[in-house]
Amino acid sequence: MENKSSGYKIQEKGLLGEVKIADEVIAIIAGLAATEVKGVAGMCGNITNELVSKLGMKKLSKGVRVNVEGSHVSVDLAIELDYGVSIAQISKKVQEKVKTAIENMTGLTIDEVNVRIAGVALEEE
């Protein structure tokens, strides 16, 4: 596998060509997998992502960074949790869910999934 500006090469050129996965696709898989975990209120991104989503252009990879160094793939997530959940339990579930989803869908091997708790969602009264 190679890290190129266009993504990750997962299959060398064969009879039909090659397969590449864009960084954005891996980030979307990670974001969707994380938000499927009960107790995760949503993803937290940077100010640019926040402004874009307020304008109605939802970015599915918000709060996700994918990094490849050689054959080592790591994913960094920034999430917001529901109030009252166990941070340790939810973080572990998110790590497992994201790792499994990316590996099953892409064939890449994920070395680490780092979770940053960036906020807590309070219930509105």
Side-chain angles (χ1 to χ4, degrees), residues 2-106:
E2 287 180 54
N3 181 12
K4 292 188 173 185
S5 60
S6 61
Y8 307 103
K9 187 184 288 188
I10 62 169
Q11 182 177 330
E12 292 298 322
K13 212 168 201 171
L15 295 175
L16 297 175
E18 62 188 18
V19 176
K20 291 183 182 180
I21 301 173
D23 298 1
E24 182 76 5
V25 171
I26 296 168
I28 290 169
I29 293 168
L32 289 172
T35 56
E36 288 177 355
V37 174
K38 185 175 176 156
V40 175
M43 302 300 293
C44 295
N46 61 29
I47 189 68
T48 303
N49 287 338
E50 298 299 329
L51 291 172
V52 167
S53 66
K54 285 185 187 337
L55 295 173
M57 298 176 285
K58 186 176 179 187
K59 187 169 176 73
L60 294 174
S61 61
K62 175 174 102 170
V64 181
R65 188 178 76 208
V66 177
N67 185 32
V68 175
E69 291 183 20
S71 61
H72 300 283
V73 180
S74 66
V75 178
D76 296 310
L77 302 165
I79 62 174
E80 180 179 41
L81 297 180
D82 292 328
Y83 178 76
V85 300
S86 167
I87 293 173
Q89 289 176 353
I90 300 303
S91 297
K92 183 175 170 115
K93 287 179 184 176
V94 167
Q95 288 173 315
E96 292 168 351
K97 180 91 172 174
V98 168
K99 182 179 187 325
T100 301
I102 294 172
E103 287 180 348
N104 287 343
M105 293 183 76
T106 66

Side-chain angles (χ1 to χ4, degrees), residues 110-122:
I110 306 302
D111 291 333
E112 61 184 10
V113 177
N114 301 306
V115 177
R116 181 173 61 91
I117 308 304
V120 176
L122 301 175

